[in-house]
Amino acid sequence: METHGPTPPRRTSRRTLLRSGAYLGAAALGLAAAPSSAALATDRRSAAVNYPPTHWIPASASNYSVASRPTQYKVDFVVIHVTQETFPDARDIFQNPAKEVSAHYMVASADGYVGQFVREKDVAWHAGNWNYNTRSIGIEHEGWVDRPEYFTDAMYAASARLTAAVCDRYGIPKTRDRIIAHSEVPGATHTDPGPLWDWDRYIDLVNS
C-alpha cells in the first residue's frame, strides 16, 4: 500500500504507512467491519455479481480514483500484496483520507474473510505505478512477508477463488504473467508478497 493520485504519485513507504500492531484475530474483524442494514441493501446488486461473497467496507473517497473500468481502462492484471499489518489496522488506513492508499480487496488470515474497499470499476491506489493501477485489481493479504503462519489454507483458498472470479470477469489469463506480485510491478520498491508466498500452490488453486 502506498500513495497514488491520478497524476504520477509521490512514493510513500508501505512500512511507513502500515505500522506493526498486535494481531486482533477473526473476532475483531467482525466487530470492526459490521455493515449497517442500509449498506447491505445498497450493495445487494453488486454482491449478486461478486464471487466469492465480499463484505463492502468503503475506503475513503480520497484514497482512490473514480473511473468506469473496463470501458475507460482495460483490466488485465491482478496484483498480489501482503499488508505488513493486521486486517483491522490496514482497514483503518484505507479509511483515513490522509493516507492516499487503498486496494480493491483484502483477505484475512484466520478465516479467509474478504473485505472489498474499492469497486472494481474504480482505480485503487496500490501498485506504486499509475499505469498498473489503472489496469489491475489489487488484492491485499493480512500478514507479514517473513511470517508464513499468516498464509493459511483459508487465506489461500479464499484469495484464489477471488482471483479466479476477477480473471473470469475480465478475461485475464490465469497465469503468473498476469497474476503478479507487487514486487513485480515496474518501478516497485517493495518485496511483497515475498519468497514465502507459495506461487505454485496459489496458481493451481486459481485454476482449479
Side-chain angles (χ1 to χ4, degrees):
M1 299 178 213
E2 54 204 321
T3 59
H4 313 285
T7 56
R10 67 181 183 274
R11 293 185 178 277
T12 301
S13 167
R14 168 185 297 216
R15 272 64 176 179
T16 300
L17 289 174
L18 299 180
R19 301 189 185 282
S20 298
Y23 182 57
L24 300 183
L29 300 181
L31 291 173
S36 67
S37 58
L40 287 173
T42 300
D43 289 290
R44 184 172 296 165
R45 284 190 301 170
S46 176
V49 298
N50 285 340
Y51 180 83
T54 62
H55 183 171
W56 177 238
I57 314 168
S60 168
S62 298
N63 294 342
Y64 63 91
S65 296
V66 174
S68 56
R69 302 189 310 170
T71 303
Q72 186 176 2
Y73 302 107
K74 181 179 180 181
V75 177
D76 52 10
F77 286 98
V78 176
V79 180
I80 300 299
H81 301 263
V82 169
T83 59
Q84 297 297 104
E85 190 49 274
T86 65
F87 189 114
D89 288 346
R91 178 206 65 223
D92 291 348
I93 288 168
F94 290 162
Q95 294 184 323
N96 183 338
K99 295 301 186 180
E100 299 183 318
V101 62
S102 62
H104 293 94
Y105 297 99
M106 182 161 50
V107 185
S109 171
D111 56 5
Y113 172 99
V114 180
Q116 182 175 2
F117 296 83
V118 177
R119 299 190 189 284
E120 291 181 5
K121 75 176 188 66
D122 296 327
V123 178
W125 300 348
H126 64 94
N129 177 311
W130 176 247
N131 179 45
Y132 272 70
N133 279 343
T134 64
R135 299 170 59 192
S136 65
I137 300 296
I139 303 177
E140 287 279 0
H141 297 80
E142 180 186 27
W144 284 261
V145 297
D146 58 351
R147 297 174 66 179
E149 64 270 23
Y150 275 85
F151 302 157
T152 62
D153 292 347
M155 172 182 278
Y156 275 120
S159 177
R161 287 193 297 271
L162 175 60
T163 292
V166 169
C167 289
D168 288 342
R169 276 196 284 278
Y170 299 102
I172 302 171
K174 297 172 185 175
T175 57
R176 270 292 281 120
D177 61 336
R178 291 293 173 173
I179 304 168
I180 65 173
H182 186 188
S183 60
E184 295 169 334
V185 173
T189 59
H190 298 272
T191 63
D192 61 303
L196 301 179
W197 183 262
D198 191 339
W199 278 108
D200 289 340
R201 176 186 182 188
Y202 188 69
I203 296 299
D204 284 348
L205 285 169
V206 171
N207 280 279
S208 66

